[in-house]
């Protein structure tokens, strides 16, 4: 009984010592100099980036031959992973959609009308958000199953679009491989042509190619693709200049 009493007193004593030490630390702690805060800031702090997961709702986009890989699902998954990477680096991210839906009004019944209204509303949403940059995610498909490989597209309206396009393509080759494609300049993609900011469209692979369709369905591939796009954006915003060819 006596020994137990001495043990209890000892524990209380230690508790008081610890409490005193914590109080002393709080009173003597000095906040770091404000000049050192910049070194701690995240690389994309203050940057607004828009992400457009292609298709959605009744517009599923391209579908694999087996019917189990749908463009709208792949683009949304990759876009959500990309959103997380960008936010972790301090960017403010604007998404044109975060669920399986399009941006057309409920009364737009005809498929062609819905498609037109959807894409125009995406342009309006992006422009109203005044982002520094837009990346639109899509999946490619053509009748022949032999073609494969991710590829970036950009509008010539902004030089920065070309720079980011080249850097993203370079990162896709480095991180993922499976492609020898190069960035392509285009004026035929309505979204990246009409927005008031630099923009890139990334075709993340061919769903018409059996092997690539399997990869597109894989969570590991989706995360790797999102990471490659993120790394390309990060390289441009860190000040790296990409070689631009005419």
């Amino acid at each position: 009984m006596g020994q137990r009493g001495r043990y209890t007193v000892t524990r209380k004593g230690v508790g008081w010592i610890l409490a005193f030490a914590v109080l002393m630390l709080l009173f003597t702690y000095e906040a770091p100099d404000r000049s050192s805060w910049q070194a701690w800031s995240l690389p994309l702090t203050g940057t607004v980036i828009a992400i457009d997961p292609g298709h959605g709702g009744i517009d599923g986009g391209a579908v694999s031959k087996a019917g189990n890989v749908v463009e709208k699902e792949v683009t949304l998954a990759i876009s959500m992973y990309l959103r997380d990477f960008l936010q972790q680096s301090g960017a403010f991210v604007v998404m044109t959609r975060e669920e399986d839906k399009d941006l057309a009004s409920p009364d737009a019944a005809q498929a062609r009308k819905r498609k037109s209204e959807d894409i125009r509303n995406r342009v309006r949403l992006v422009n109203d958000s005044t982002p520094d940059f837009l990346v639109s995610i899509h999946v490619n498909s053509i009748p022949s199953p032999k073609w494969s490989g991710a590829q970036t597209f950009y509008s010539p309206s902004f030089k920065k679009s070309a720079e980011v396009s080249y850097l993203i393509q370079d990162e896709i080759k480095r991180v993922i491989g499976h492609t020898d494609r190069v960035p392509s300049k285009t004026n035929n993609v309505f979204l990246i042509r009409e927005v008031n900011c630099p923009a890139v469209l990334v075709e993340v692979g061919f769903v018409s190619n059996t092997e690539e369709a399997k990869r597109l369905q894989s969570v590991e591939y989706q995360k790797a693709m999102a990471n490659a796009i993120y790394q390309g954006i990060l390289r441009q915003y860190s000040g790296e200049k990409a070689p631009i060819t005419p």
Side-chain angles (χ1 to χ4, degrees):
M1 184 73 173
Q3 289 180 347
R4 186 174 179 182
R6 286 196 296 274
Y7 177 70
T8 304
V9 171
T10 304
R11 286 181 62 189
K12 287 182 178 178
V14 171
W16 281 110
I17 292 170
L18 287 173
F20 180 75
V22 170
L23 285 172
M24 288 298 294
L25 182 63
L26 289 173
F27 281 116
T28 57
Y29 175 78
E30 291 185 9
D33 192 291
R34 222 182 139 78
S35 62
S36 68
W37 288 7
Q38 238 176 353
W40 295 2
S41 63
L42 298 171
L44 294 176
T45 297
T47 303
V48 180
I49 296 178
I51 303 176
D52 172 55
H55 304 277
I58 65 169
D59 177 16
V63 182
S64 65
K65 186 176 180 180
N68 60 333
V69 186
V70 183
E71 180 173 7
K72 68 176 182 177
E73 297 171 359
V74 174
T75 60
L76 182 58
I78 293 174
S79 295
M80 296 298 273
Y81 292 130
L82 176 59
R83 178 201 65 181
D84 292 346
F85 288 139
L86 292 169
Q87 287 180 338
Q88 288 166 12
S89 286
F92 181 84
V93 178
V94 176
M95 301 283 290
T96 59
R97 69 180 181 98
E98 293 185 282
E99 55 187 323
D100 183 14
K101 68 175 185 179
D102 61 17
L103 274 66
S105 60
D107 61 341
Q110 294 180 347
R112 180 177 290 186
K113 183 179 179 182
R114 288 197 70 86
K115 184 80 173 172
S116 175
E117 193 171 307
D118 170 61
I119 195 67
R120 291 182 184 280
N121 284 340
R122 289 177 195 244
V123 170
R124 186 177 296 111
L125 188 155
V126 172
N127 287 339
D128 287 348
S129 303
T130 61
D132 299 292
F133 184 74
L134 163 72
V135 56
S136 184
I137 311 294
H138 284 261
V139 171
N140 221 333
S141 179
I142 56 175
S144 173
K146 71 177 184 179
W147 301 104
S148 65
Q151 186 174 14
T152 59
F153 295 84
Y154 65 93
S155 168
S157 303
F158 294 89
K159 182 183 177 182
K160 188 175 181 179
S161 300
E163 292 177 349
V164 182
S165 182
Y166 274 79
L167 292 171
I168 290 175
Q169 188 73 44
D170 189 55
E171 283 298 310
I172 290 173
K173 290 179 180 178
R174 183 185 71 83
V175 174
I176 296 176
H178 304 298
T179 185
D180 58 0
R181 295 180 177 277
V182 297
S184 180
K185 178 171 64 176
T186 179
N187 271 317
N188 296 327
V189 180
F190 185 84
L191 179 65
I192 63 174
R193 187 188 71 213
E194 295 298 319
V195 293
N196 301 327
C197 66
V200 167
L201 183 142
V202 185
E203 295 277 6
V204 295
F206 283 78
V207 76
S208 48
N209 178 282
T210 304
E211 290 304 311
E212 196 145 78
K214 290 178 182 177
R215 286 194 290 268
L216 288 167
Q217 197 177 26
S218 160
V219 171
E220 290 74 20
Y221 185 86
Q222 292 168 358
K223 286 182 178 178
M225 181 60 70
N227 180 49
I229 297 169
Y230 160 71
Q231 293 293 340
I233 294 171
L234 199 61
R235 284 171 63 182
Q236 204 283 332
Y237 279 90
S238 69
E240 183 174 344
K241 299 296 181 183
I244 307 299
T245 56

